[in-house]
């Protein structure tokens, strides 16, 4: 008890962070949103709030926990842009080399590389030192986007002396959960520099800025009986301020955003955050975000409480598994495969975009890697053989059984929190899992004493889907769909189990390290 009480007095800013999260030199000019806290990932599991939590060692865990780092990642990653930028920073810190899709690549066995697309999609990979052209890729794919509210291209409106901000719904969110929350904005801004060039900058306004108020019970007496059924066009409009308070955007500056498009007050808030003039802001792409920080909760601090767990929890577990599986100098020395992580945008709206899983981004990268390592053009037959030897893990959050709605789950497939990764099955191919791919992935877990669960939706209910079937059918790559069990999926505030984060991380890391040996023992087509 004395130790626990002492830990509660320690503020995270007083603790030093290890090397993976220490460097910021590559981002000092563009990523103004970063708050480079000094937080221990080996000792205290915490968010960037004032809370501190138990050490992994005190819980008897045999390997390091990444829960504290996940909380930090979530607290930095208010948007898909920020999630990608933070992943980029961590990869650079870990020694991965940044590539540009527009340049010619120079790759070598044993090398670690990554590139981004639209600053919302990222592909990272590490080449085994014993890789021969024709060997397979071991890939974990996830997505960076989450259901949210986005500003409309013309967001400014006025109602009853209020400054209002018009928004559009992105994805299938539980929109009633966005009412009465302390909201703000984050995203990207195009800024005109003094030399006439344009800069892409990320912005995050950390203070409560917007609010969508509910109607008082006295004016809606039947809401508790009939349910809360807001009109998403007319009722889901946030308040910004009570009176105009116009700021000095030069109306004669035709390069600046017009007052009729966005409120000058909002533009001035963004300018203050970025340290630039309001007139230099050319365009914006902003999401609404909940300002409440991600943290641990529950009687034993066993729950992770956060927005955007779907699917940043999977994204971070995959990212860390790749980084840590290549951390030691000898990790890649005996590997014959290429280890890869692909984090896509726009999964929540179907993946059909330049930066989504429906684009050929990942497969183009695979072909380029093969071409580069072969030092010559590689024909279709070689690429086809690579695909046949490859394996994809589609990682997306899973529906944990709800204790108050247990009948929503099929009786024998009720995934629970803290019980390991959930392997998703669907006979109608809403998930890409097959009997063979499920077996292989479970064998990886068994080899490291990691539990797995299985999920099938009820026959009388519709089934969601993932990027798994999109990628699997694109070129015919073997795929398993899996995820971490959670509750409140697509709410502004979701919940998952702390232990499941570490199990997922360990399972993904084991996948990179031992899948080849397990796969070599099974013959299906001969």
């Amino acid at each position: 008890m004395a130790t626990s009480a002492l830990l509660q007095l320690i503020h995270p800013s007083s603790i030093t962070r290890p090397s993976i999260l220490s460097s910021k030199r590559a981002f000092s000019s563009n990523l103004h949103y970063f708050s480079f806290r000094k937080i221990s990932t080996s000792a205290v599991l915490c968010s960037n709030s004032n809370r501190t939590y138990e050490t992994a060692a005190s819980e008897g865990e045999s390997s390091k926990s990444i829960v504290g780092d996940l909380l930090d990642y979530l607290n930095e990653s208010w948007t898909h842009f920020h999630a990608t930028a933070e992943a980029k920073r961590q990869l650079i810190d870990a020694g991965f080399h940044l590539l540009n899709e527009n340049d010619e690549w120079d790759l070598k066995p044993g090398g670690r590389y990554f590139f981004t697309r639209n600053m919302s999609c990222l592909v990272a990979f590490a080449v085994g030192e014993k890789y021969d052209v024709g060997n397979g890729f071991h890939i974990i794919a996830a997505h960076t986007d989450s259901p949210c509210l986005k500003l409309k291209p013309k967001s400014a409106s006025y109602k009853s002396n209020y400054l209002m901000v018009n928004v559009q719904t992105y994805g299938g969110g539980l929109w009633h959960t966005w009412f009465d929350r302390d909201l703000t904005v984050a995203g990207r801004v195009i800024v005109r520099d003094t030399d006439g060039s344009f800069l892409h900058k990320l912005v995050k306004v950390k203070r409560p800025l917007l609010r969508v108020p509910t109607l008082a019970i006295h004016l809606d007496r039947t809401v508790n009986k009939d349910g809360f059924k807001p009109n998403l066009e007319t009722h889901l409009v946030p308040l910004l301020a009570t009176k105009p308070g116009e700021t000095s955007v030069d109306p004669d500056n035709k390069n600046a955003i017009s007052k009729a498009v966005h409120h000058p007050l909002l533009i001035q808030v963004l300018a203050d955050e970025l340290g630039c003039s309001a007139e230099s802001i050319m365009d914006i792409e902003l999401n609404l975000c909940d300002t409440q920080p991600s943290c641990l909760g529950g009687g034993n601090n066993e729950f992770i409480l956060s927005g955007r767990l779907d699917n940043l929890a999977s994204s971070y577990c995959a990212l860390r598994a790749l980084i840590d599986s290549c951390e030691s100098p000898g990790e890649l020395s005996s590997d014959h495969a290429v280890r890869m992580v692909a984090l896509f945008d726009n999964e929540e709206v179907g993946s059909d975009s330049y930066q989504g899983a429906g684009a050929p981004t990942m497969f183009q990268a695979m072909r380029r890697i093969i071409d580069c390592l072969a030092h010559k053009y590689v024909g279709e037959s070689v690429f086809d053989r690579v695909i046949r030897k490859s394996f994809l893990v589609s990682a997306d959050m899973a529906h944990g059984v709800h204790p108050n709605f247990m009948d929503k789950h099929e009786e024998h497939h009720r995934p629970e929190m803290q019980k390991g990764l959930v392997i998703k099955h669907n006979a109608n191919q809403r998930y890409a899992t097959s009997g063979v791919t499920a077996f292989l992935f479970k064998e990886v877990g068994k080899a490291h004493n990691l539990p797995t669960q299985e999920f099938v939706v009820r026959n009388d209910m519709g089934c969601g889907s993932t990027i798994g079937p999109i990628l699997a059918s694109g070129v015919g790559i073997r795929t398993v769909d899996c995820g971490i069990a959670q509750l409140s999926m697509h709410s502004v505030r979701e919940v998952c189990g702390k232990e499941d984060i570490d199990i997922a991380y360990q399972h993904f890391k084991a996948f990179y390290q031992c899948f080849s040996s397990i796969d070599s023992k099974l013959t299906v087509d001969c």
Side-chain angles (χ1 to χ4, degrees):
M1 292 295 294
T3 301
S4 176
L6 178 62
L7 285 175
Q8 293 177 7
L9 299 176
I10 300 175
H11 191 279
S13 62
S14 66
I15 307 171
T16 58
R17 172 184 285 280
S19 61
I20 191 172
L21 300 175
S22 62
S23 172
K24 52 185 174 180
R25 59 185 178 277
F27 301 89
S28 59
S29 61
N30 288 333
L31 303 188
H32 294 268
Y33 71 98
F34 280 129
S35 174
F36 289 93
R37 303 174 310 283
K38 296 181 179 179
I39 303 174
S40 170
T41 56
S42 59
V44 181
L45 301 183
C46 56
S47 72
N48 62 356
S49 67
N50 291 332
R51 299 174 177 85
T52 57
Y53 306 105
E54 301 88 348
T55 65
S58 68
E59 296 175 348
E61 295 178 6
S62 59
S63 60
K64 64 180 179 181
S65 172
I66 68 163
V67 171
D69 291 338
L70 170 65
L71 292 173
D72 293 333
Y73 180 74
L74 291 167
N75 282 319
E76 293 290 356
S77 303
W78 283 12
T79 72
H80 48 321
F81 302 125
H82 291 81
T84 303
E86 175 65 5
K88 173 181 177 180
R89 187 181 68 80
Q90 293 194 23
L91 286 163
I92 289 176
D93 284 353
F96 282 68
H97 299 282
L98 175 62
L99 302 172
N100 189 313
E101 284 192 282
N102 298 326
D103 297 337
E104 187 172 350
W105 293 355
D106 180 18
L107 311 179
K108 294 178 175 60
R112 296 170 293 170
Y113 310 92
F114 76 99
F115 65 87
T116 65
R117 176 179 285 193
N118 189 52
M119 193 47 71
S120 63
C121 168
L122 179 146
V123 176
F125 57 95
V127 184
E129 290 186 21
K130 292 189 176 181
Y131 180 80
D132 290 324
V133 173
N135 290 351
F137 284 60
H138 300 157
I139 310 166
I140 303 176
H143 64 90
T144 59
D145 62 317
S146 303
C148 66
L149 301 176
K150 293 178 177 284
L151 265 65
K152 290 183 177 179
K154 294 182 179 181
S155 69
S157 69
Y158 302 85
K159 294 181 181 179
S160 301
N161 203 37
Y162 290 107
L163 299 188
M164 312 291 288
V165 178
N166 291 322
V167 296
Q168 53 185 328
T169 57
Y170 175 84
L174 289 173
W175 303 122
H176 66 275
T177 65
W178 287 74
F179 284 75
D180 294 337
R181 303 291 300 189
D182 297 336
L183 303 175
T184 188
V185 293
R188 66 175 169 194
V189 178
I190 306 300
V191 177
R192 187 184 72 253
D193 204 358
T194 54
D195 63 0
S197 62
F198 300 103
L199 304 177
H200 172 278
K201 293 190 176 184
L202 300 188
V203 66
K204 179 195 295 183
V205 180
K206 297 179 182 179
R207 67 180 176 89
L209 188 67
L210 302 167
R211 189 175 182 89
V212 186
T214 50
L215 186 63
I217 185 68
H218 316 82
L219 304 178
D220 190 7
R221 292 288 187 179
T222 63
V223 65
N224 289 327
K225 179 182 70 174
D226 298 338
F228 182 46
K229 302 173 182 178
N231 181 294
L232 300 184
E233 177 64 24
T234 59
H235 299 157
L236 194 61
V237 185
L239 305 176
L240 173 65
T242 55
K243 53 186 177 180
E246 299 291 351
T247 55
S248 57
V249 176
D250 183 0
D252 297 325
N253 184 355
K254 294 182 173 54
N255 290 322
I257 295 181
S258 168
K259 289 191 293 184
V261 176
H262 302 289
H263 289 300
L265 175 60
L266 176 61
I267 298 302
Q268 188 61 55
V269 169
L270 298 175
D272 292 343
E273 190 70 28
L274 291 169
C276 67
S277 67
E279 288 78 12
S280 66
I281 295 179
M282 298 291 99
D283 212 338
I284 61 177
E285 185 175 352
L286 301 178
N287 295 359
L288 266 64
C289 307
D290 187 2
T291 59
Q292 185 175 359
S294 305
C295 63
L296 295 186
N300 298 308
N301 279 330
E302 67 265 55
F303 300 132
I304 295 176
L305 311 176
S306 175
R308 306 172 304 283
L309 288 174
D310 178 15
N311 190 35
L312 292 185
S314 303
S315 296
Y316 188 70
C317 288
L319 179 73
R320 276 297 296 272
L322 177 65
I323 290 174
D324 292 353
S325 73
C326 307
E327 190 174 26
S328 300
E331 286 281 0
L332 296 173
S333 61
S334 60
D335 200 340
H336 294 77
V338 176
R339 304 174 183 183
M340 178 178 281
V341 161
L343 306 180
F344 296 103
D345 191 6
N346 299 135
E347 187 275 344
E348 297 293 355
V349 292
S351 297
D352 291 333
S353 69
Y354 167 73
Q355 56 274 353
T361 312
M362 187 179 81
F363 300 116
Q364 288 175 346
M366 293 171 67
R367 188 182 293 279
R368 291 186 68 175
I369 293 167
I370 296 167
D371 288 348
C372 191
L373 294 173
H375 302 291
K376 61 181 180 180
Y377 175 76
V378 178
E380 287 289 335
S381 60
V382 176
F383 182 71
D384 288 346
R385 285 191 285 113
V386 169
I387 290 295
R388 299 302 168 268
K389 295 179 182 179
S390 298
F391 193 93
L392 172 70
V393 177
S394 169
D396 204 347
M397 301 298 280
H399 298 287
V401 62
H402 195 304
N404 297 333
F405 299 90
M406 292 180 62
D407 60 341
K408 294 296 184 180
H409 274 71
E410 197 276 333
E411 181 180 3
H412 302 292
H413 298 86
R414 291 173 172 170
E416 300 178 28
M417 288 188 188
Q418 322 290 18
K419 296 292 182 66
L421 280 172
V422 179
I423 298 176
K424 306 175 184 180
H425 302 261
N426 184 261
N428 297 306
Q429 296 303 298
R430 299 293 290 170
Y431 302 128
T433 306
S434 70
V436 169
T437 60
F439 167 77
L440 290 170
F441 194 64
K442 285 187 287 187
E443 285 297 299
V444 171
K446 287 180 182 178
H448 290 76
N449 298 314
L450 298 170
T452 56
Q453 308 177 76
E454 294 182 283
F455 170 76
V456 174
V457 74
R458 288 172 56 111
N459 289 330
D460 55 359
M461 295 181 65
C463 183
S465 191
T466 68
I467 60 176
I470 296 171
L471 296 171
S473 60
V475 292
I477 187 172
R478 294 177 297 167
T479 302
V480 64
D481 265 298
C482 70
I484 299 166
Q486 74 163 101
L487 299 176
S488 304
M489 186 177 287
H490 288 194
S491 170
V492 74
R493 193 79 175 170
E494 300 171 323
V495 56
C496 72
K498 181 175 71 173
E499 292 179 23
D500 285 330
I501 296 300
D502 286 327
I503 293 173
Y505 159 71
Q506 292 164 17
H507 203 135
F508 292 161
K509 188 176 178 181
F511 167 70
Y512 286 130
Q513 293 172 329
C514 75
F515 180 78
S516 292
S517 62
I518 292 173
D519 190 31
S520 65
K521 298 176 183 178
L522 175 66
T523 301
V524 177
D525 299 300
C526 58

